[in-house]
Amino acid sequence: MACCAHPDDAEILMGGTLAKYAERGDDVFIVVTTNGEVGHPTLPKHEIAAIRKEEAQRAAELIGAELIWLGFPDEFLFDREETRLSFINAIRKCRPDVILTHWPGDLYNPDHTLTGQIVNDVAIMTTVPNIVTDEPPCEKIPVVYFADSVAGVGFLPEEYVDITSTIGVKRRMLAEHKSQVSDWLSDQYGVTMDEMMTVSSQYRGFQAGVRYAEGFIRAKAWPRGVAGTLLP
Amino acid sequence: MACCAHPDDAEILMGGTLAKYAERGDDVFIVVTTNGEVGHPTLPKHEIAAIRKEEAQRAAELIGAELIWLGFPDEFLFDREETRLSFINAIRKCRPDVILTHWPGDLYNPDHTLTGQIVNDVAIMTTVPNIVTDEPPCEKIPVVYFADSVAGVGFLPEEYVDITSTIGVKRRMLAEHKSQVSDWLSDQYGVTMDEMMTVSSQYRGFQAGVRYAEGFIRAKAWPRGVAGTLLP
Amino acid sequence: MACCAHPDDAEILMGGTLAKYAERGDDVFIVVTTNGEVGHPTLPKHEIAAIRKEEAQRAAELIGAELIWLGFPDEFLFDREETRLSFINAIRKCRPDVILTHWPGDLYNPDHTLTGQIVNDVAIMTTVPNIVTDEPPCEKIPVVYFADSVAGVGFLPEEYVDITSTIGVKRRMLAEHKSQVSDWLSDQYGVTMDEMMTVSSQYRGFQAGVRYAEGFIRAKAWPRGVAGTLLP
Amino acid sequence: MACCAHPDDAEILMGGTLAKYAERGDDVFIVVTTNGEVGHPTLPKHEIAAIRKEEAQRAAELIGAELIWLGFPDEFLFDREETRLSFINAIRKCRPDVILTHWPGDLYNPDHTLTGQIVNDVAIMTTVPNIVTDEPPCEKIPVVYFADSVAGVGFLPEEYVDITSTIGVKRRMLAEHKSQVSDWLSDQYGVTMDEMMTVSSQYRGFQAGVRYAEGFIRAKAWPRGVAGTLLP
Amino acid sequence: MACCAHPDDAEILMGGTLAKYAERGDDVFIVVTTNGEVGHPTLPKHEIAAIRKEEAQRAAELIGAELIWLGFPDEFLFDREETRLSFINAIRKCRPDVILTHWPGDLYNPDHTLTGQIVNDVAIMTTVPNIVTDEPPCEKIPVVYFADSVAGVGFLPEEYVDITSTIGVKRRMLAEHKSQVSDWLSDQYGVTMDEMMTVSSQYRGFQAGVRYAEGFIRAKAWPRGVAGTLLP
Amino acid sequence: MACCAHPDDAEILMGGTLAKYAERGDDVFIVVTTNGEVGHPTLPKHEIAAIRKEEAQRAAELIGAELIWLGFPDEFLFDREETRLSFINAIRKCRPDVILTHWPGDLYNPDHTLTGQIVNDVAIMTTVPNIVTDEPPCEKIPVVYFADSVAGVGFLPEEYVDITSTIGVKRRMLAEHKSQVSDWLSDQYGVTMDEMMTVSSQYRGFQAGVRYAEGFIRAKAWPRGVAGTLLP
């Protein structure tokens, strides 16, 4: 299960890994916490939100993943009771073994920081009977992994996933976000999203000794360590 | 393959993991870089070195591992050409996929620091034809993992191995170091080695969500990343 | 003075140190910021809150400490004006030289993170006349220490307190939390609270060269440094 | 543009650098996010707020800077939608190339932590058309620098600005804060603000190889890196 | 002035920055500390050393830089008196304002680690009259910058240089190292050196908001701070 | 016991703390590991070494400390067997409870780095019977503290000693180093040693809430933790 702040974040930061889970036959969920409504230079908020939800839907379908849309206002996600309960309910819907989310240390955008922080904060709460949401409590505490930061700024991966076999579908997933891959972002930032994503995956691949990779850090908190396999 | 500074270090810091490799059928090697000759309060150096080599031999045999004894002087290992070549040759003998060694950040003892540092430094050199030792070059660069520090001081594990199934043999391996588990160390430090090892394994186990565990950090250096499996 | 998120946190993370203060004749206060109402698998919230308050009361009495109960909702403590004022008022009641609280870096639970963060944030405010609560301002800024994380994950102690003489009363304090030391937690986590607490105290003891210890980090913020004694 | 929590913070932590910008002919703005109303031992809140605003005004005038006063309650700034919008609007007024603000890692005061964090969080939002405030969006994303912590606690500067030529005006700016430089603060902290500021500037100067300096860390977040000049 | 361990290191890690210095009219020196003699799969040591020196010479000539060849044995550089004096003498020949060298934290290769460490260690000594080498003492202490690690592993740049205008000559410099850009390295590592260098420069460029960049960290040591310019 | 690289280092970095130990009646030793022979612009090496030894002697006498002079060549201390044995013997002479030495993380000078590192490395060896030097083994392992770096670069103190009562004698101790406090150093660095030392002590004092302080970090290594007192 992926939990990201905006439509296209999951595709950029963990799309290759999600595709590998899907390939293996796992159920994959993509939770998007905000509605992405500020992500356009000219369209009004409600139109862009609707467009981006459809784009996210199409991207998810490429790997057979289910999209869950929490709909919080873009750029204005806050850590409140309703937010935590909404996150808990979404996780209970997915009953995940593993959650991939944003790294709270990324200074890029507060929706990223808070999405990552709240996912980690509520991981145990999803199993607690006395916290009531629409969905019943989870049986086990999911393991939380923090994904790379945007452009890798400040991030030192501790684990890598080889996505050489899924870089193609990752690029197609990203390409579904047509409203984002047009000219305005490359005007603003001097680089297309596809180029930035591909080069980032190559760079993490060099570090991991493969063609393409994605980097992660496991959330270090009791009792969510993972032991049982041998190294590496 | 384990590479540690003194007889008994491998047993304490990574014995459970080595036993799991052995259980799986892997060839396991225990390289001891110094002769441990200062490790006794009354016996002269050459006697204690001989005794400890025998103890290490018996401990290795418990899991069918091969002992390799480099014989550098205890407490006076230095980073010199002959040391590097000796390490390279030992690694070429083992042709390991994975090397477990000391964490260079451990301030406990310079033999630990330097053993860990040199193992990492020569990992690529083992594959280089123009560096000639008795053994032919390795075909692939081994992955290096740094084991826990003594008493866990300063060390934050990034990966854990569940050793619940091998804690028994780990304790028996340590018990073979009879010259070390007698009274003088517990007089000096107020704790027996068995107690310290067992409690440390339990503590790392709590962190990892299992009964007993050992903690590690993968050496972060190009091109020894490891990608290809899914998380966790 | 201890300030922790849930009943039993103070006992687990700093109980031995509190007992030493009490032994020395200091006034000891245990502030619990939430009502612990989610901490049971079957009982309803208000019942469990009442039970846990009584348990905390009995544990505090074992060392003659005063319990202060802030009653914020368990798992839903937030950094708001009312929360800060409530914390300030509680600290003004105790007029402490030293406050022991949670380490804000612990990713285990947001009530822990926020309790530690808010205690540090308001430490100076407790002395400011223009911030009005029921209690008059403190005369001096208390020194804040952050206690160990749960299971020590991610935490590197900078200072240790030898609790060898108080490990017994620490265990009895924890045993008063009968609703927590029953089967459900060990079912969930595979370890009893008493075992985890005892082993953690032993482990920190190894690091400190004594039988049992608790680890702390002093909050690094102006002007709450402490100088005046010699090392160590 | 400077954005600080209280009147006098900008003067203490970055006054010399602001004076250098002014000297060079740049437009300089000093944004103060709270009204500083708790900053006095005897005066009521609204009086001290008014006094401090005037003091800040006079200090700003010394270098020809414009003061922008956000007026949030002192010690009770929170990260809410209205706060972010107010910050965004202030930045849009200034249209800065560079923003100097508090370092979010400073544990001294939550107004500092949050001012620094929110400035960084909204830096990109200031350019986004779909986030509407009184002022039109900025054309480019400002570069954010975090200034030294109070008394330098916990802070390791990555860049320094030589303020030898402006230390005089920096001292005069600080001296305008007459309500703060009187006896009560030096009673509370055992040091006058002028002495602490001057010694801190000297100390950072030693580190930078000049008489007086101020230290900074650039916010590390995409896409606000700065390349284009040669080192140093 | 660049000081690197092997022929081609300067080209890969700082070639674009050196070219910019050259473009500006500065005197540029490339010091290579070892003879690179193990860098070939089949040729004997003395032949490959001679070939690589010529290649380094041609690469340096592309930007009009002077090559200085220290000739220590490849993979066996050690921190000894003769090494320090040789480094001091080389620096005195160049009389640099700035030295770019390896980051001592890079675990990739001990020649890198030690070259970076020794350059930093001797920076002040180059000005000391009582340390006598062939060249007279320097008048001023050079500023030391540590360049990116190989593949960026473990490295978080603090400063960036925009090399968009010199990426072309950087690629041509690297291409002169014909003995290294042939098949054997890409067989060993699964990537060509040109590809790895180009992608790395792009990735650092994303982080810096330009097409291509190189990342650096200034050595933090008294009295080599640099203040005097405004941010950024 | 202090163990520093050059005559005057102990005075600058830990002189106030040593004076407090002396005041309390403890035996204080100042070990200087090199002969300081490069520390002059015009005098030949053997003359300056002799002068500086006398200066160090006079400074030590001011607090009744004993000077121990190891005489290794200035700027060329290396980690060799003879160095370790010389350090072990010096520590055995002093039989210290506490050793104050350089912080190995200081990039200022390799004599500093190595003195601090070797002191920590040999701390346990001083108690080992099978390591034979002129002096008999110590009975207990000394606690090691690392002192501030030169100008505090890169150093975050974890503990402070209030030296307000001994700043006067600290200044007089430093003033005995007449060969160092003359014009040449302030020409080279733009600041006198007395000014730098005094301002640094003031700055660390601000951080510690007193007039003058010195900062330290305890070496984190088993089994040299210190527990037994209460906080702070």
Side-chain angles (χ1 to χ4, degrees):
Chain A
M1 168 191 157
C3 185
C4 288
H6 308 106
D8 78 19
D9 284 336
E11 287 77 356
I12 294 174
L13 299 174
M14 54 193 81
T17 301
L18 295 176
K20 283 196 76 177
Y21 281 118
E23 215 174 61
R24 195 175 67 175
D26 295 350
D27 292 334
V28 177
F29 300 83
I30 299 178
V31 179
V32 178
T33 61
T34 78
N35 56 25
E37 70 198 350
V38 312
H40 203 271
T42 52
L43 289 176
K45 286 186 168 194
H46 66 278
E47 283 186 36
I48 181 62
I51 290 170
R52 297 191 71 180
K53 188 171 178 184
E54 276 173 46
E55 293 171 350
Q57 188 66 51
R58 275 196 296 272
E61 279 164 13
L62 282 178
I63 56 165
E66 182 175 332
L67 179 73
I68 295 177
W69 191 262
L70 300 189
F72 287 97
D74 193 1
E75 308 302 306
F76 296 102
L77 182 76
F78 292 100
D79 184 15
R80 294 177 180 139
E81 182 165 0
E82 61 168 307
T83 322
R84 288 197 193 163
L85 290 172
S86 171
F87 276 55
I88 291 170
N89 198 52
I91 296 173
R92 286 174 171 178
K93 249 186 226 158
C94 307
R95 317 190 91 66
D97 296 306
V98 178
I99 308 179
L100 312 180
T101 187
H102 293 295
W103 176 54
D106 191 358
L107 297 181
Y108 162 67
N109 181 285
D111 295 343
H112 286 221
T113 315
L114 283 165
T115 294
Q117 180 199 306
I118 298 172
V119 165
N120 179 69
D121 281 350
V122 303
I124 296 182
M125 297 180 201
T126 61
T127 67
V128 173
N130 263 339
I131 298 176
V132 179
T133 67
D134 292 347
E135 302 285 334
C138 296
E139 278 79 35
K140 60 177 259 198
I141 301 167
V143 180
V144 175
Y145 281 87
F146 299 131
D148 213 331
S149 64
V150 176
V153 177
F155 191 86
L156 296 174
E158 297 181 354
E159 305 187 38
Y160 295 90
V161 174
D162 179 357
I163 60 160
T164 307
S165 68
T166 55
I167 183 72
V169 69
K170 183 181 183 184
R171 293 184 64 186
R172 288 195 302 278
M173 287 170 76
L174 183 55
E176 290 295 348
H177 293 273
K178 293 194 172 58
S179 69
Q180 305 301 303
V181 295
S182 55
D183 290 349
W184 79 284
L185 272 180
S186 63
D187 284 2
Q188 178 92 340
Y189 302 127
V191 58
T192 67
M193 285 175 67
D194 180 65
E195 185 188 356
M196 192 163 114
M197 182 277 277
T198 309
V199 167
S200 297
S201 301
Q202 267 183 290
Y203 192 77
R204 293 306 186 203
F206 293 155
Q207 298 183 340
V210 297
R211 290 296 299 168
Y212 297 94
E214 288 169 351
F216 296 90
I217 293 175
R218 189 168 49 75
K220 309 283 191 322
W222 186 75
R224 284 168 287 161
V226 224
T229 56
L230 283 173
L231 308 165
Chain B
M1 168 189 158
C3 187
C4 287
H6 308 106
D8 78 20
D9 283 337
E11 286 78 355
I12 294 173
L13 300 173
M14 54 192 78
T17 301
L18 295 176
K20 283 194 76 177
Y21 281 118
E23 215 171 61
R24 196 174 68 175
D26 295 350
D27 293 333
V28 177
F29 299 84
I30 299 177
V31 179
V32 178
T33 61
T34 77
N35 55 25
E37 70 200 348
V38 311
H40 204 270
T42 51
L43 289 176
K45 287 185 169 195
H46 66 279
E47 284 185 35
I48 182 63
I51 290 170
R52 297 190 72 179
K53 189 170 177 186
E54 275 173 47
E55 293 170 350
Q57 189 65 51
R58 274 194 297 271
E61 279 165 14
L62 282 178
I63 57 165
E66 183 175 331
L67 180 73
I68 296 177
W69 192 263
L70 300 188
F72 287 98
D74 191 2
E75 309 302 306
F76 296 101
L77 182 76
F78 292 100
D79 184 15
R80 296 182 179 133
E81 183 166 358
E82 61 167 307
T83 323
R84 288 197 193 164
L85 290 172
S86 171
F87 277 54
I88 291 171
N89 198 53
I91 296 172
R92 285 175 172 177
K93 248 186 228 160
C94 307
R95 317 190 91 67
D97 295 305
V98 177
I99 308 180
L100 312 180
T101 187
H102 293 295
W103 177 52
D106 190 358
L107 297 181
Y108 161 68
N109 181 285
D111 294 342
H112 287 222
T113 315
L114 284 165
T115 294
Q117 180 199 306
I118 298 171
V119 165
N120 179 69
D121 281 350
V122 304
I124 296 181
M125 297 180 201
T126 61
T127 67
V128 174
N130 263 339
I131 297 176
V132 179
T133 67
D134 292 348
E135 303 283 334
C138 295
E139 278 79 36
K140 60 176 259 198
I141 301 168
V143 180
V144 175
Y145 281 87
F146 299 131
D148 212 330
S149 64
V150 176
V153 177
F155 191 85
L156 297 174
E158 297 181 354
E159 306 189 37
Y160 294 91
V161 174
D162 179 356
I163 61 159
T164 307
S165 67
T166 54
I167 183 72
V169 68
K170 184 181 181 182
R171 292 184 65 185
R172 286 195 303 277
M173 287 170 78
L174 183 55
E176 291 294 348
H177 293 273
K178 293 193 173 58
S179 69
Q180 305 301 303
V181 295
S182 53
D183 292 346
W184 79 285
L185 272 179
S186 63
D187 284 0
Q188 178 90 342
Y189 301 127
V191 59
T192 67
M193 286 174 66
D194 180 67
E195 185 187 357
M196 192 162 114
M197 183 278 276
T198 309
V199 166
S200 299
S201 299
Q202 267 183 290
Y203 193 76
R204 294 305 186 204
F206 294 154
Q207 299 183 340
V210 297
R211 291 294 300 168
Y212 296 94
E214 288 170 350
F216 297 91
I217 293 174
R218 190 168 49 74
K220 309 284 192 321
W222 187 74
R224 283 168 286 161
V226 225
T229 55
L230 283 172
L231 307 165
Chain C
M1 168 189 159
C3 186
C4 287
H6 308 105
D8 77 20
D9 284 336
E11 287 77 354
I12 295 173
L13 299 174
M14 54 192 78
T17 301
L18 296 176
K20 283 195 76 176
Y21 281 118
E23 217 172 60
R24 196 174 68 175
D26 295 350
D27 292 334
V28 177
F29 299 83
I30 298 177
V31 179
V32 179
T33 61
T34 78
N35 55 25
E37 70 199 348
V38 312
H40 204 270
T42 52
L43 289 175
K45 286 185 167 195
H46 66 278
E47 283 186 36
I48 182 62
I51 290 170
R52 296 190 73 178
K53 189 170 177 184
E54 274 174 48
E55 293 171 348
Q57 188 65 51
R58 275 195 296 271
E61 279 166 14
L62 282 179
I63 56 166
E66 183 175 331
L67 180 73
I68 295 177
W69 191 263
L70 301 188
F72 287 98
D74 192 1
E75 308 302 306
F76 296 101
L77 182 76
F78 292 100
D79 184 15
R80 295 181 179 134
E81 183 165 358
E82 61 167 306
T83 322
R84 288 197 193 164
L85 290 172
S86 170
F87 276 55
I88 291 171
N89 198 53
I91 296 172
R92 286 175 171 177
K93 247 185 228 161
C94 307
R95 317 190 92 66
D97 296 304
V98 178
I99 308 180
L100 312 180
T101 187
H102 293 296
W103 177 53
D106 190 358
L107 297 181
Y108 161 69
N109 182 284
D111 294 343
H112 286 223
T113 315
L114 284 165
T115 294
Q117 179 199 306
I118 298 171
V119 165
N120 179 69
D121 281 350
V122 304
I124 295 181
M125 297 180 200
T126 61
T127 68
V128 173
N130 263 340
I131 297 175
V132 178
T133 67
D134 293 348
E135 303 284 334
C138 295
E139 279 78 36
K140 59 177 259 197
I141 301 167
V143 180
V144 175
Y145 281 86
F146 299 131
D148 212 331
S149 63
V150 177
V153 178
F155 191 85
L156 296 174
E158 296 181 354
E159 305 189 37
Y160 294 90
V161 174
D162 179 356
I163 61 159
T164 307
S165 67
T166 54
I167 183 72
V169 68
K170 184 181 182 183
R171 293 184 64 186
R172 287 195 303 276
M173 288 170 77
L174 182 56
E176 291 294 348
H177 293 273
K178 293 192 173 59
S179 69
Q180 305 301 303
V181 294
S182 54
D183 291 348
W184 79 286
L185 272 179
S186 63
D187 284 1
Q188 178 90 341
Y189 301 127
V191 58
T192 67
M193 286 175 66
D194 179 67
E195 185 187 355
M196 192 163 114
M197 182 278 275
T198 308
V199 167
S200 298
S201 300
Q202 267 182 290
Y203 192 76
R204 292 306 186 203
F206 294 155
Q207 297 183 340
V210 296
R211 290 294 301 167
Y212 296 94
E214 288 169 350
F216 297 91
I217 293 175
R218 190 169 48 75
K220 309 285 191 320
W222 186 74
R224 283 170 284 162
V226 225
T229 56
L230 283 172
L231 307 165
Chain D
M1 168 189 159
C3 186
C4 287
H6 308 107
D8 77 19
D9 284 335
E11 287 77 355
I12 294 173
L13 300 173
M14 53 192 80
T17 301
L18 296 176
K20 285 195 74 177
Y21 281 118
E23 216 173 60
R24 195 174 69 174
D26 295 349
D27 293 334
V28 177
F29 300 85
I30 298 177
V31 179
V32 178
T33 60
T34 78
N35 56 25
E37 71 199 350
V38 311
H40 203 272
T42 52
L43 289 176
K45 288 185 167 195
H46 65 279
E47 284 187 35
I48 181 62
I51 290 170
R52 297 191 71 180
K53 188 170 178 183
E54 277 173 45
E55 293 171 350
Q57 188 65 52
R58 276 195 294 271
E61 279 164 15
L62 283 179
I63 57 167
E66 182 176 332
L67 179 73
I68 296 177
W69 191 262
L70 301 189
F72 288 98
D74 192 2
E75 308 302 305
F76 296 101
L77 182 77
F78 293 99
D79 183 15
R80 296 181 179 134
E81 182 164 359
E82 61 167 307
T83 322
R84 289 197 192 164
L85 290 172
S86 171
F87 276 55
I88 291 170
N89 198 53
I91 296 172
R92 285 175 172 176
K93 248 185 227 160
C94 307
R95 317 191 91 65
D97 295 306
V98 177
I99 309 179
L100 311 180
T101 188
H102 294 295
W103 177 52
D106 191 358
L107 297 181
Y108 161 68
N109 182 284
D111 294 343
H112 287 222
T113 315
L114 283 165
T115 294
Q117 180 199 306
I118 298 172
V119 165
N120 178 69
D121 280 351
V122 304
I124 295 182
M125 298 181 200
T126 62
T127 67
V128 173
N130 263 340
I131 297 176
V132 179
T133 67
D134 292 348
E135 303 285 334
C138 296
E139 279 78 36
K140 60 175 258 199
I141 302 167
V143 180
V144 175
Y145 281 87
F146 299 131
D148 213 331
S149 63
V150 176
V153 178
F155 191 85
L156 297 174
E158 296 181 355
E159 305 188 39
Y160 295 90
V161 174
D162 180 357
I163 61 161
T164 307
S165 68
T166 55
I167 183 72
V169 69
K170 183 182 182 183
R171 292 184 65 186
R172 287 195 303 279
M173 287 170 77
L174 182 56
E176 291 295 349
H177 294 273
K178 292 191 173 59
S179 69
Q180 306 300 303
V181 295
S182 54
D183 292 346
W184 78 285
L185 270 180
S186 62
D187 284 1
Q188 177 91 341
Y189 301 127
V191 59
T192 68
M193 285 175 67
D194 180 67
E195 185 188 356
M196 192 162 115
M197 183 277 276
T198 310
V199 167
S200 297
S201 300
Q202 267 183 290
Y203 192 77
R204 293 305 186 205
F206 295 154
Q207 297 183 340
V210 298
R211 290 295 300 169
Y212 296 95
E214 287 169 351
F216 296 91
I217 293 175
R218 189 168 50 72
K220 311 283 190 322
W222 186 74
R224 282 168 286 161
V226 223
T229 55
L230 282 172
L231 307 166
Chain E
M1 169 190 157
C3 186
C4 288
H6 308 106
D8 78 19
D9 283 335
E11 287 77 355
I12 294 173
L13 300 174
M14 54 192 81
T17 301
L18 295 176
K20 284 195 74 177
Y21 281 118
E23 217 174 61
R24 195 174 69 174
D26 296 349
D27 292 334
V28 177
F29 300 85
I30 299 177
V31 179
V32 178
T33 61
T34 77
N35 56 25
E37 71 199 349
V38 311
H40 203 271
T42 52
L43 288 175
K45 287 186 166 193
H46 67 278
E47 283 187 36
I48 181 63
I51 290 170
R52 298 190 71 178
K53 189 171 177 184
E54 276 174 45
E55 292 171 350
Q57 188 64 51
R58 276 195 296 271
E61 279 164 16
L62 282 178
I63 57 167
E66 182 176 333
L67 179 73
I68 296 177
W69 191 262
L70 301 189
F72 288 97
D74 192 1
E75 308 302 306
F76 296 100
L77 183 76
F78 293 100
D79 184 14
R80 296 181 179 134
E81 182 165 0
E82 61 167 307
T83 322
R84 288 197 192 163
L85 290 172
S86 172
F87 276 55
I88 291 170
N89 198 53
I91 296 172
R92 286 175 171 176
K93 248 186 226 161
C94 307
R95 318 191 90 66
D97 295 306
V98 178
I99 308 180
L100 312 180
T101 188
H102 294 294
W103 177 51
D106 190 358
L107 297 181
Y108 161 68
N109 182 285
D111 294 343
H112 287 222
T113 314
L114 283 165
T115 294
Q117 179 200 307
I118 298 171
V119 165
N120 179 69
D121 281 349
V122 304
I124 296 182
M125 298 181 202
T126 62
T127 67
V128 173
N130 263 339
I131 297 175
V132 180
T133 67
D134 291 348
E135 303 283 335
C138 296
E139 278 79 36
K140 60 175 258 199
I141 302 167
V143 180
V144 175
Y145 281 87
F146 299 130
D148 213 330
S149 63
V150 175
V153 177
F155 191 86
L156 297 174
E158 297 180 355
E159 305 189 39
Y160 295 91
V161 174
D162 180 356
I163 61 161
T164 307
S165 68
T166 55
I167 183 73
V169 67
K170 183 182 183 182
R171 291 184 64 186
R172 287 195 303 278
M173 287 170 77
L174 183 56
E176 291 295 348
H177 293 273
K178 294 191 172 60
S179 69
Q180 306 300 304
V181 296
S182 54
D183 293 346
W184 79 284
L185 272 180
S186 63
D187 284 1
Q188 177 91 343
Y189 302 128
V191 59
T192 68
M193 285 175 66
D194 180 67
E195 185 187 357
M196 192 162 114
M197 183 277 276
T198 310
V199 167
S200 298
S201 300
Q202 266 183 289
Y203 192 77
R204 294 304 186 205
F206 293 155
Q207 298 183 340
V210 297
R211 290 295 298 168
Y212 296 95
E214 287 168 351
F216 296 90
I217 293 175
R218 189 169 48 73
K220 310 284 190 321
W222 187 74
R224 283 167 287 161
V226 224
T229 57
L230 283 172
L231 307 165
Chain F
M1 167 190 158
C3 185
C4 288
H6 308 107
D8 79 20
D9 284 335
E11 287 76 356
I12 295 173
L13 299 174
M14 53 192 80
T17 301
L18 295 176
K20 283 195 75 176
Y21 281 118
E23 216 173 61
R24 195 175 67 175
D26 295 350
D27 293 333
V28 176
F29 299 85
I30 299 178
V31 179
V32 179
T33 61
T34 77
N35 56 26
E37 70 199 348
V38 311
H40 203 271
T42 52
L43 288 175
K45 287 185 167 192
H46 65 279
E47 282 187 37
I48 182 62
I51 290 170
R52 297 190 72 180
K53 188 171 177 183
E54 275 173 46
E55 294 171 349
Q57 188 65 51
R58 275 196 295 272
E61 279 165 14
L62 282 178
I63 57 165
E66 182 175 332
L67 179 73
I68 295 176
W69 192 264
L70 300 189
F72 287 97
D74 193 1
E75 308 302 307
F76 296 102
L77 182 75
F78 292 100
D79 184 15
R80 294 179 180 138
E81 182 166 357
E82 62 167 306
T83 322
R84 288 197 193 163
L85 290 172
S86 171
F87 277 55
I88 291 170
N89 198 52
I91 296 172
R92 286 175 171 177
K93 247 186 228 160
C94 307
R95 319 190 90 66
D97 295 307
V98 178
I99 308 180
L100 312 179
T101 187
H102 294 295
W103 177 52
D106 191 357
L107 296 181
Y108 162 68
N109 181 285
D111 295 342
H112 286 223
T113 315
L114 283 166
T115 294
Q117 180 199 306
I118 299 172
V119 165
N120 179 70
D121 280 350
V122 303
I124 295 182
M125 296 180 203
T126 61
T127 67
V128 173
N130 263 338
I131 298 176
V132 179
T133 68
D134 291 349
E135 302 284 335
C138 296
E139 278 79 36
K140 60 177 259 198
I141 301 167
V143 179
V144 175
Y145 281 87
F146 299 131
D148 213 331
S149 64
V150 176
V153 177
F155 191 86
L156 296 174
E158 297 181 353
E159 305 188 39
Y160 295 90
V161 174
D162 179 356
I163 61 160
T164 307
S165 68
T166 55
I167 183 73
V169 68
K170 184 181 182 183
R171 293 184 64 186
R172 288 196 301 278
M173 286 170 77
L174 183 55
E176 291 294 347
H177 293 274
K178 294 193 170 60
S179 69
Q180 305 301 304
V181 296
S182 55
D183 291 348
W184 79 285
L185 272 179
S186 62
D187 285 2
Q188 178 92 342
Y189 302 127
V191 60
T192 67
M193 285 174 67
D194 179 66
E195 185 187 357
M196 191 162 115
M197 182 277 278
T198 309
V199 167
S200 298
S201 301
Q202 266 184 292
Y203 192 77
R204 293 305 186 204
F206 294 155
Q207 297 184 340
V210 296
R211 291 296 299 168
Y212 297 95
E214 288 169 349
F216 296 90
I217 293 175
R218 189 168 49 73
K220 309 285 191 319
W222 186 75
R224 282 168 287 160
V226 225
T229 57
L230 283 172
L231 307 165

